[in-house]
Amino acid sequence: MRNLLYNHIINDFTNHSYKSCLEYFPCDSNILDIGIGNGKMLKTFHPLIRSKQLSITGIDINKVYLKNCKRLIKKYHLQDHLTIYHEPIEYFSPPNNEFYDFVLFSMSFMLFNDQPLILDKVKSYLHPDGEIVFFQTMFKKKSWLLDFTKPKLKYLTTIDFGKATYENEFFALLEKHELSVLQDKVTPRKCGKGEGRMIVARQN
Ligand SMILES: C[S@@+](CC[C@H](N)C(=O)[O-])C[C@H]1O[C@@H](n2cnc3c(N)ncnc32)[C@H](O)[C@@H]1O
């Protein structure tokens, strides 16, 4: 049921996010996908992942989503390209102390209460010229209604949409963490007054 709801509600954003991000990653990239979800994107993007020889480590806290993701990895024979872990980012350490070319937050960054801690953590998992890629809905103007309702949507839908991401606060956070923005792409995906944006940042 959770998986069905998830598919129905965020499928379009998921496809858009992974299309933008997977196209951005160069061939042979090593990627940490934080909050990979149910792997639904694999149905569309398995040929791209394979042809670009991407190596993706996906982590998530939701066992039901990961079970579905595991099933799709098997179905599309992606075992050499995707490894998944049931672990929260707060406790995750890269296996074999490996470093990543990219850390990806596809619609997951807004879920974290302690975003500064998460940024510090993932910065240490990147190669020196590694990049953090965020795909998220961003709002320009503060809205008390949005701040009140968005965190409560999970009680209605069972899906946690986290808190609203405001442009000025998000960029201030990146600056504080000595991350400079390399790319900021507005996509055609809209959610009310929010814009679906892909933002790429690198350590200064
Ligand atoms: C909105 S979904 C996005 C899933 C997928 N990346 C996409 O774009 O469709 C956010 C995901 O983050 C996961 N998540 C939430 N908190 C997490 C945490 N602390 N560590 C790892 N994953 C987390 C959720 O279980 C959920 O699958």
Side-chain angles (χ1 to χ4, degrees):
M1 183 64 182
R2 284 194 85 167
N3 198 36
L4 279 176
L5 270 172
Y6 172 108
N7 282 342
H8 187 67
I9 295 175
I10 60 173
N11 200 12
D12 186 44
F13 265 85
T14 294
N15 268 338
H16 229 81
S17 169
Y18 281 97
K19 182 176 184 331
S20 308
C21 301
L22 293 171
E23 283 176 355
Y24 178 76
F25 301 138
C27 292
D28 297 312
S29 296
N30 191 15
I31 301 144
L32 175 63
D33 183 348
I34 298 171
I36 190 167
N38 66 6
K40 181 82 193 294
M41 57 90 177
L42 298 176
K43 287 188 181 177
T44 312
F45 299 112
H46 64 99
L48 186 61
I49 293 170
R50 191 173 296 101
S51 70
K52 289 184 98 170
Q53 288 292 308
L54 300 177
S55 172
I56 303 174
T57 301
I59 64 168
D60 207 289
I61 51 170
N62 188 308
K63 267 191 182 168
V64 179
Y65 295 164
L66 285 179
K67 194 172 163 206
N68 195 60
C69 191
K70 195 172 173 186
R71 183 180 64 77
L72 293 170
I73 290 171
K74 211 169 156 198
K75 178 172 178 186
Y76 297 112
H77 309 290
L78 287 169
Q79 290 90 338
D80 291 343
H81 298 279
L82 243 145
T83 313
I84 51 176
Y85 295 94
H86 180 227
E87 218 163 339
I89 180 59
E90 290 84 348
Y91 296 108
F92 175 80
S93 309
N96 311 317
N97 294 323
E98 76 181 303
F99 291 98
Y100 300 97
D101 303 310
F102 296 92
V103 165
L104 170 63
F105 293 99
S106 169
M107 295 193 294
S108 56
F109 194 65
M110 75 278 190
L111 299 177
F112 304 120
N113 290 327
D114 196 345
Q115 293 177 333
L117 176 118
I118 304 295
L119 280 185
D120 280 339
K121 212 170 151 63
V122 302
K123 272 169 63 178
S124 69
Y125 300 160
L126 282 169
H127 285 297
D129 59 349
E131 299 172 10
I132 308 179
V133 179
F134 304 86
F135 191 99
Q136 56 200 6
T137 305
M138 289 175 76
F139 298 85
K140 289 188 195 298
K141 269 176 123 179
K142 197 96 177 142
S143 153
W144 67 265
L145 187 63
L146 189 65
D147 287 340
F148 179 76
T149 51
K150 200 167 184 260
K152 294 184 178 55
L153 282 177
K154 65 179 170 206
Y155 303 116
L156 200 67
T157 63
T158 76
I159 295 168
D160 190 357
F161 289 91
K163 57 185 179 183
T165 305
Y166 292 106
E167 192 182 77
N168 57 347
E169 290 173 1
F170 178 72
F171 288 125
L173 181 69
L174 294 189
E175 202 179 326
K176 199 168 170 199
H177 286 264
E178 300 180 336
L179 291 162
S180 42
V181 174
L182 301 178
Q183 206 182 105
D184 178 2
K185 184 173 123 188
V186 179
T187 75
R189 284 298 162 277
K190 282 201 152 257
C191 183
K193 290 187 176 162
E195 295 171 322
R197 279 160 75 169
M198 183 179 104
I199 290 160
V200 182
R202 186 162 63 196
Q203 306 192 51
N204 294 337

